[in-house]
Amino acid sequence: MTRRLTRAATQFAILTVAVLVIIFLLDNRYRVLPPSIHNYMPTHHGDHVITDITVTTCSTISLFSGCALDPNKWDRIDKDLYLGKKWFLRGYIHVQRKKENMLTAEDKVVVDVKIGQLDPGAVGKRKGKRDGKWESRDAGIWLNRSKKPHASDSVEAITEVDVLFGADSVEPRPGWSIVQGTSLWLPVADQIEEARLTVRRGPPVKVNTPAPRVSKAGKFKIMQVADLHLSTGLGLCRHPVPDSFHGGKCDADPRTMEFIEKMLDQEKPDLVVLTGDQINGESSPDAQTAVFKFAAPFIERKIPYAAIFGNHDDEGSLSRSKLMELIQSLPYSLSEPGPSDIDGVGNYVIEVLAPLSSSHSAITLYLLDTHSYSPDEQQFRGYDWLKKSQIEWFTKTAEELKNSPSHVGYTHIHMDMAFIHIPLPEYRDKNNNIVGAWLERPTVPGFNSGFRDALVQQGVLAVSCGHDHANDYCMLSKTPSPRPKPALWMCYGGGVGFGGYGGYGGFIRRVRFFEIDTNEARITTYKRVEYNETEKRIDDQVIVDGGRVVEK
C-alpha cells in the first residue's frame, strides 16, 4: 500500500512539473497566462521595454526647426549630442517606452541595435539583397524589432538607453553595453567628442558590495587616487613626463587610466579612496562619461572604492549631489552623500571590519568634503574650509563610535584615518619634518576652522589630501611646546592625472598607498610613480607603530 502511494505521488509530481514546463514554454511564446500571473514569471522584466529609438537634430537660430517630439509618445534623453559646442545646432536621442503589460499586438520591442551606414542585414552585396530584419533610423541607427509575444521577456530585449561620449568611453554598469560599430552619424559633428549609444538588456542588475574587511593575516591596503582630472573624451596631456605615450601622442585619460590599472594589478589594494578632482570640470561637458572611466577598473576587479569631491568635480555637467547619486548607484561603491543637515556632500564614515566573520571594526576612515572656493574672497582669499557643522559631526561621530559595541569589543588596537581634498592650513608649517617633495606652495584655506586640532583630539593618526598635484610629502604635526610629541601625519597623495597640471621641474604622476597591519597596529605608506623608477616604493616609511604616531 505504501509503495503504491509513493509511486502515485511520484507520478503526480512528474506530471505537475511537466504541465508547468509546458505552460511556461507556451506563455513564453504565445502569452497564454493572464498578466497577473505572467508578471511573476522568471523571465518577466517587470518594467518598461523600449519599442523605438530615433535621433532629432535642430537649429537654434531657425523658427522652423525643433528637436521636440510628441511627449505623449517619446521620452528625450537630455544630453545634447553636440555637447553644447555647436552654438547653432542641437541633437537628442528619443526613445519610446512601454510597460510590458501595456503592449499591444501591433507594438514591436527593440531586441537589437547597431550603428553604421550600411544595413547590417544586407546580403548579396552586388545584388543589394536585404533580409528585411533591420529598420533604419537617423544618425546611422539600425533597429531589430520584434512583434513576437515573448519578445519583451527575451534576455535580448532593450529596456533602457543612454549616451556616452568619446572614443575611450566605457560602460561599467551591469547589464549595459555600448552598441558596437561606429559612433552616431551626426551632421556637422567635426571637433565634437563622438556620441556612443549604450543600452541595457533586461532588468536593472543589483550588485551587493561587501563591507571592507581586514585579511586573515591582519593586513589591509588602501590606494589613494588624487586628482585624476578626467575629461569627456581623451583629454589633453598637461606637462607630461615624458611627453610621448607608447612612442606616440600623449592622450591624458588613456595614459592616466593605464597607470591606475597597472597599480591595481600590481598592488592589489583592498580599498581605493579617491580624494577629489576626479573630473576636470571645464573639459567634461558630460561628467557621467568621466565618472564611468574611473569606476570601470574598480568594478571589473571587484575592488570597493570611495570618493569625495574637489573644487573641479562639479564644474562640468553635474552638481555634487548628482555626481554622488551617480557614483552611489555603481557596483562596489562605498560612497555616500552624508547627513543632509551639515555642510557639503560626501561627509561619511567607512568601517573596515576585523578578519574572518567578526562584526568588530578594526579601522575607521573619515571622509569629508572640503568644498571648493572661498565664500569670502575679500577677507579669506583662495579656498574654502571645513565648516563648524562638519567638525561637530566628525567629533560627535568619533565619540559615538568609540563607545559603540563594534569598537569596544575589538581585541586589538583600533586605528583611525581621514581623507580630504584641500589641505589644512597646517600643511604650510615648514617647522614640521617632512618626508617627500614640497614643490609648490600649499594652496590652503585662508581661514583655519580648527579641523587639525579636532583630528588630534579624537586620536586620528593620519590625514591625507590631494589638490596640490606636485606636492607628495607627509608632514609630521606635533603637539605644542615645551615638549612636542608626534600627533598627526598629514600627507599628500600626489597628482595622478595627466589632465591636470604637472610641471615644477618635471613632476612624475604618482599614487600613494597605506599598508595597515592590524596585528602590530602599524601603518606604512609609500608612493608608486608612472615613469622612471616604476617598480620602486618611493619614500617608504612607517608613520604609525603600536597604535601611536611615530617619527622614523
Side-chain angles (χ1 to χ4, degrees):
M1 182 68 178
T2 302
R3 189 179 300 171
R4 197 178 305 157
L5 289 172
T6 303
R7 185 167 56 250
T10 303
Q11 292 172 342
F12 179 76
I14 293 173
L15 179 62
T16 302
V17 171
V19 170
L20 290 174
V21 169
I22 292 170
I23 292 174
F24 172 81
L25 293 174
L26 287 172
D27 183 70
N28 193 38
R29 188 169 183 82
Y30 301 110
R31 290 284 175 82
V32 299
L33 292 174
S36 59
I37 298 176
H38 172 80
N39 291 351
Y40 288 95
M41 297 297 285
T43 55
H44 175 68
H45 299 316
D47 203 350
H48 292 81
V49 291
I50 302 298
T51 58
D52 207 348
I53 305 171
T54 194
V55 170
T56 60
T57 56
C58 54
S59 170
T60 58
I61 58 176
S62 171
L63 297 176
F64 304 101
S65 176
C67 284
L69 297 179
D70 185 348
N72 295 317
K73 296 180 179 179
W74 294 91
D75 294 326
R76 189 176 87 177
I77 298 173
D78 281 323
K79 287 186 180 182
D80 176 17
L81 298 176
Y82 293 97
L83 293 170
K85 294 182 179 181
K86 298 290 184 182
W87 65 272
F88 61 89
L89 199 59
R90 296 288 182 269
Y92 296 96
I93 294 172
H94 299 259
V95 298
Q96 283 188 355
R97 296 183 176 95
K98 266 199 171 183
K99 283 197 170 184
E100 187 181 351
N101 58 10
M102 299 296 291
L103 292 171
T104 68
E106 298 305 312
D107 286 320
K108 294 181 179 180
V109 175
V110 179
V111 294
D112 203 1
V113 185
K114 293 187 183 298
I115 309 292
Q117 288 183 308
L118 301 177
D119 183 346
V123 293
K125 222 175 199 181
R126 294 182 181 176
K127 297 180 180 179
K129 294 181 180 178
R130 303 178 187 277
D131 61 8
K133 174 180 171 183
W134 295 89
E135 302 174 38
S136 175
R137 297 291 185 271
D138 288 341
I141 295 176
W142 294 87
L143 303 181
N144 179 5
R145 301 197 300 163
S146 175
K147 291 176 67 174
K148 294 179 180 179
H150 68 286
S152 63
D153 282 338
S154 167
V155 293
E156 298 301 317
I158 306 297
T159 54
E160 194 54 87
V161 176
D162 203 349
V163 61
L164 301 172
F165 297 87
D168 62 335
S169 55
V170 292
E171 178 54 89
R173 293 174 290 186
W176 287 78
S177 61
I178 293 176
V179 174
Q180 296 302 305
T182 64
S183 58
L184 292 174
W185 291 80
L186 300 170
V188 200
D190 54 301
Q191 299 181 339
I192 301 295
E193 298 300 341
E194 57 190 64
R196 306 300 298 265
L197 199 66
T198 178
V199 298
R200 188 187 74 203
R201 287 179 163 84
V205 179
K206 175 67 174 175
V207 176
N208 293 320
T209 302
R213 185 178 294 277
V214 174
S215 72
K216 187 177 179 180
K219 305 295 179 61
F220 191 82
K221 184 186 290 189
I222 298 171
M223 174 176 167
Q224 181 188 354
V225 176
D227 300 274
L228 281 165
H229 283 269
L230 299 175
S231 299
T232 302
L234 299 174
L236 298 175
C237 282
R238 298 178 62 186
H239 317 114
V241 178
D243 59 6
S244 64
F245 181 49
H246 294 319
K249 178 177 176 286
C250 177
D251 291 317
D253 291 5
R255 184 168 175 179
T256 298
M257 294 313 300
E258 181 177 291
F259 177 45
I260 292 295
E261 293 193 43
K262 178 182 176 182
M263 291 297 96
L264 293 174
D265 293 337
Q266 290 186 1
E267 293 282 345
K268 301 189 185 310
D270 301 293
L271 173 68
V272 176
V273 176
L274 302 116
T275 50
D277 283 357
Q278 288 77 247
I279 300 170
N280 198 58
E282 65 180 12
S283 59
S284 294
D286 184 58
Q288 180 184 8
T289 294
V291 169
F292 284 5
K293 280 194 276 191
F294 77 68
F298 311 141
I299 294 169
E300 180 184 348
R301 292 163 177 80
K302 301 180 180 180
I303 299 173
Y305 57 98
I308 51 177
F309 300 127
N311 49 295
H312 291 297
D313 289 291
D314 56 356
E315 293 176 342
S317 61
L318 295 176
S319 67
R320 267 168 149 73
S321 296
K322 290 296 182 183
L323 282 169
M324 185 58 78
E325 185 179 325
L326 176 62
I327 297 170
Q328 266 193 294
S329 71
L330 297 175
Y332 301 101
S333 173
L334 302 175
S335 309
E336 295 181 18
S340 59
D341 58 346
I342 67 173
D343 292 278
V345 177
N347 302 294
Y348 59 105
V349 175
I350 294 175
E351 294 278 52
V352 180
L353 301 179
L356 304 175
S357 59
S358 174
S359 60
H360 293 118
S361 169
I363 306 161
T364 299
L365 307 176
Y366 295 94
L367 296 91
L368 292 97
D369 182 6
T370 50
H371 317 290
S372 54
Y373 305 101
S374 173
D376 186 354
E377 275 288 340
Q378 289 188 337
Q379 189 172 1
F380 304 108
R381 298 190 65 184
Y383 292 92
D384 208 344
W385 51 88
L386 284 150
K387 301 299 193 295
K388 180 182 177 182
S389 66
Q390 294 174 277
I391 298 174
E392 289 176 346
W393 166 81
F394 161 74
T395 301
K396 180 183 177 183
T397 302
E399 291 288 353
E400 289 175 349
L401 288 175
K402 286 176 187 175
N403 297 312
S404 67
S406 65
H407 283 231
V408 173
Y410 184 54
T411 57
H412 292 56
I413 298 175
H414 192 278
M415 292 181 284
D416 296 347
M417 293 181 64
F419 292 93
I420 54 178
H421 177 69
I422 297 173
L424 303 174
E426 286 81 3
Y427 273 71
R428 275 188 178 173
D429 189 348
K430 287 194 172 183
N431 294 318
N432 290 328
N433 296 334
I434 69 168
V435 177
W438 178 322
L439 298 181
E440 57 177 312
R441 179 174 170 81
T443 50
V444 304
F447 175 73
N448 192 335
S449 59
F451 188 54
R452 178 267 179 199
D453 293 342
L455 290 170
V456 173
Q457 288 168 7
Q458 294 302 324
V460 172
L461 304 168
V463 59
S464 198
C465 71
H467 191 57
D468 299 321
H469 304 180
N471 287 339
D472 73 348
Y473 61 80
C474 279
M475 171 182 283
L476 180 59
S477 181
K478 297 183 178 181
T479 58
S481 298
R483 292 183 178 179
K485 295 180 180 179
L488 176 73
W489 277 102
M490 302 185 301
C491 297
Y492 275 104
V496 66
F498 284 87
Y501 71 85
Y504 291 92
F507 177 78
I508 298 171
R509 268 62 175 193
R510 59 200 60 207
V511 292
R512 179 176 289 280
F513 292 91
F514 295 93
E515 280 186 343
I516 304 174
D517 185 337
T518 59
N519 294 326
E520 303 295 333
R522 180 183 298 137
I523 301 177
T524 304
T525 188
Y526 58 92
K527 294 154 293 190
R528 294 284 304 274
V529 294
E530 193 260 353
Y531 174 70
N532 200 8
E533 298 179 299
T534 58
E535 303 303 316
K536 183 179 178 182
R537 289 167 55 133
I538 309 294
D539 296 326
D540 196 342
Q541 63 175 131
V542 175
I543 58 175
V544 174
D545 203 6
R548 295 177 179 274
V549 176
V550 295
E551 182 176 9
K552 290 190 177 181

